[in-house]
Amino acid sequence: MIIVIIGAQWGDEGKGKVVDLLADRFDIVARYQGGHNAGHSVYVGERAFVLRLLPSGIIHADSVCVLGNGMVIDPKAFFEEVDQMTAQGVSITPERLKVSSRAHLIMPYHRALDHTSEERLGNEKIGTTLRGIGPAYEDKAGRRGVRVADALVPEVLKLRVERNLEEANRIIVLYGQPPLRADEILNEISPLVERLRPFVCETSHFLAEAKKRSKKILLEGAQATLLDVDHGTYPYVTSSNPTSGGAAVGAGIPPHHISGVLGIVRTYATRVGEGPFPTEMLDAEEATANLIRQRGNEYGSVTKRPRRCGWFDAVATRYAAELNGFDSVALTKLDVLDALDEIKVCVGYEIDGERVETFPAVSQDLLKIKPIYETLPGWKSETLGATKIEDLPIKAREYVEFLSASIGVEIGLISTGPERDQTIILPDSVMENWFKA
Ligand code: IMP
């Protein structure tokens, strides 16, 4: 069984907790795109883990974790995280952590170029995480990137770094920054690459062999559908493909081996960075946004940036369900809405006076959207920690049913708090089968 798990909105839907819950049932957890721009917080009892590059499965001693070929890996960030997790008592060995030889490395000049690129865009900047993600993917598509396998051969690493740096330095200097030095970069990267060597693996072969032995594999998307470079709110997107098609490419597995797709949807929406956000709570709704931000702790787990908050957008989420082919949805952060008198759901868009039911491609249109809302009553009582659907107030149940109907997919799991046991699994759902499998 191979299940893909993907955020349906603009990220931070609470994937970390759901992957953590499922990881117990799976033998392997693999990431297939992105890098340390991601940030999952996972709470286990008193302990909080922040994961950026490593799949959430790493917390489970029995899971093997894979960083797939579709990822971009900053070796410094990788070992910072490995060391941090080790200090928190997690055992990380090459037996349980495999890094694709075909993944690309993020180099110090990629970080510098991420800064200059944002500076060049000025008011139209993307609001990236400044981790060098975009420039590393640019080099990959430009066929000059440094793959893990290349970096393991010192002459190749030296050649690539020297050649790429020549070009990178022209841009870096143009923006008034001091040029970077190839020898310094090599001195920094080479020992890290040597430390990486035992973890390096032909991960698609590893996954194919695991599949033959009927191992259960979870493919963990980072970022989310509306940040997908093809399908998201371009150009305000990340540079990879979090959507389910990207999982096959980025993990190196045949698409027809994927047995199911699980969407993570939050009861409201957030976005970090710039870009269109049709249901954003602005002006008169700022107080509600602040309340949600506080109750939902909506601050970047890595960058600490306050997240922009908005109402649930059924048009965008239906689009995500269709694109990814969600078989089931996990609905997160129900308890965050406990305090609201009423809750709005965007059920359609109006653009230039016309009603639109599909998600527009043109960024100018995205900025012109007037959301058409339906207002549902709040339940004004505590759902925190509920473990059975019957324990939820009727109005909360109606809200969940409304969301499910509006996106056309079953909601198979409801998260009612950050802890593992603050979870409802709906009986007779596809999700329940995945948990039983
Ligand atoms: P980049 O991925 O650093 O290039 O940033 C591109 C856009 O994706 C920016 O708007 C970021 O805020 C956003 N982004 C990247 N990673 C995440 C994430 O894990 N959660 C939410 N937004 C993200």
Side-chain angles (χ1 to χ4, degrees):
M1 183 167 75
I2 303 184
I3 303 293
V4 188
I5 182 163
I6 302 163
Q9 296 149 314
W10 281 279
D12 310 307
E13 292 90 354
K15 274 186 302 278
K17 169 175 162 174
V18 182
V19 176
D20 178 54
L21 276 174
L22 277 167
D24 258 352
R25 277 98 180 155
F26 283 74
D27 304 295
I28 298 170
V29 185
R31 271 192 60 184
Y32 56 87
Q33 45 70 233
H36 64 312
N37 46 347
H40 296 313
S41 302
V42 181
Y43 302 90
V44 184
E46 298 291 291
R47 296 194 301 168
F49 299 92
V50 177
L51 297 155
R52 294 176 295 172
L53 263 168
L54 303 181
S56 313
I58 202 77
I59 300 166
H60 296 258
D62 297 331
S63 308
V64 174
C65 288
V66 170
L67 304 193
N69 56 276
M71 291 189 71
V72 285
I73 299 170
D74 181 328
K76 191 160 169 248
F78 175 84
F79 283 113
E80 272 168 15
E81 195 167 327
V82 165
D83 292 341
Q84 169 66 39
M85 297 302 285
T86 308
Q88 285 186 276
V90 178
S91 151
I92 300 187
T93 59
E95 283 66 45
R96 56 179 310 251
L97 180 61
K98 317 253 171 223
V99 177
S100 168
S101 49
R102 290 182 170 84
H104 279 245
L105 289 185
I106 298 182
M107 297 300 221
Y109 50 85
H110 291 134
R111 281 197 296 274
L113 291 173
D114 210 348
H115 282 270
T116 58
S117 164
E118 286 287 84
E119 201 184 321
R120 177 169 54 85
L121 288 168
N123 285 341
E124 287 174 7
K125 70 173 193 255
I126 310 293
T128 73
T129 58
L130 298 174
R131 304 279 196 271
I133 306 290
Y137 277 115
E138 282 174 44
D139 275 2
K140 172 178 174 176
R143 294 161 296 184
R144 56 182 172 265
V146 183
R147 298 178 312 161
V148 169
D150 305 324
L152 290 174
V153 185
E155 310 85 76
V156 179
L157 176 66
K158 184 167 181 285
L159 195 74
R160 291 277 162 87
V161 167
E162 283 172 356
R163 200 174 283 166
N164 289 346
L165 197 58
E166 247 174 61
E167 206 168 305
N169 268 340
R170 281 197 208 121
I171 302 171
I172 291 167
V173 169
L174 193 68
Y175 284 88
Q177 301 298 321
L180 303 181
R181 289 182 40 176
D183 56 345
E184 284 178 4
I185 291 179
L186 288 166
N187 285 344
E188 180 188 331
I189 296 295
S190 304
L192 293 169
V193 167
E194 274 315 308
R195 204 180 155 197
L196 193 62
R197 193 181 286 277
F199 296 94
V200 179
C201 167
E202 295 296 323
T203 48
S204 34
H205 179 65
F206 173 78
L207 291 173
E209 287 296 312
K211 164 91 175 49
K212 273 192 213 153
R213 285 182 280 120
S214 303
K215 298 284 180 201
K216 289 183 216 138
I217 304 169
L218 193 62
L219 301 179
E220 177 184 351
Q223 292 77 54
T225 303
L226 300 173
L227 292 172
D228 185 283
V229 66
D230 282 74
H231 302 289
T233 48
Y234 191 88
Y236 298 97
V237 293
T238 192
S239 302
S240 62
N241 290 112
T243 45
S244 57
V249 179
I253 56 162
H256 61 285
H257 283 182
I258 294 174
S259 22
V261 184
L262 158 55
I264 310 292
V265 170
R266 190 172 23 191
T267 52
Y268 50 94
T270 70
R271 172 159 209 170
V272 278
E274 311 301 320
F277 185 10
T279 60
E280 185 166 13
M281 294 166 181
L282 296 167
D283 308 322
E285 292 187 323
E286 232 158 72
T288 312
N290 286 336
L291 183 72
I292 287 182
R293 196 173 295 116
Q294 292 312 322
R295 290 183 57 88
N297 189 25
E298 296 298 351
Y299 298 89
S301 39
V302 177
T303 60
K304 307 290 174 222
R305 290 187 286 180
R307 297 177 184 145
R308 297 156 68 192
C309 296
W311 299 110
F312 186 87
D313 185 338
V315 182
T317 316
R318 198 161 53 233
Y319 170 67
E322 186 177 281
L323 262 173
N324 291 301
F326 292 153
D327 297 296
S328 186
V329 154
L331 185 68
T332 61
K333 297 208 168 178
L334 183 70
D335 54 297
V336 173
L337 302 188
D338 287 354
L340 300 190
D341 291 323
E342 44 185 41
I343 305 166
K344 295 207 268 181
V345 176
C346 168
V347 292
Y349 293 161
E350 193 188 298
I351 302 174
D352 295 332
E354 296 222 359
R355 189 164 173 144
V356 176
E357 304 286 346
T358 51
F359 199 71
V362 181
S363 23
Q364 261 64 22
D365 283 353
L366 280 163
L367 291 169
K368 281 195 271 183
I369 287 170
K370 286 202 187 117
I372 300 166
Y373 286 115
E374 255 186 59
T375 304
L376 282 81
W379 43 91
K380 299 284 283 180
S381 56
E382 194 169 280
T383 63
L384 182 73
T387 55
K388 289 203 231 54
I389 188 79
E390 303 80 58
D391 296 343
L392 294 182
I394 186 77
K395 287 189 178 121
R397 269 157 50 174
E398 283 168 2
Y399 181 68
V400 172
E401 280 158 21
F402 187 87
L403 298 192
S404 171
S406 69
I407 57 175
V409 183
E410 72 159 37
I411 288 174
L413 182 155
I414 304 168
S415 171
T416 56
E419 298 287 340
R420 280 180 182 168
D421 56 1
Q422 295 173 318
T423 306
I424 300 170
I425 301 196
L426 279 292
D428 305 320
S429 59
V430 173
M431 184 84 66
E432 193 188 38
N433 280 337
W434 290 338
F435 271 89
K436 277 188 190 154

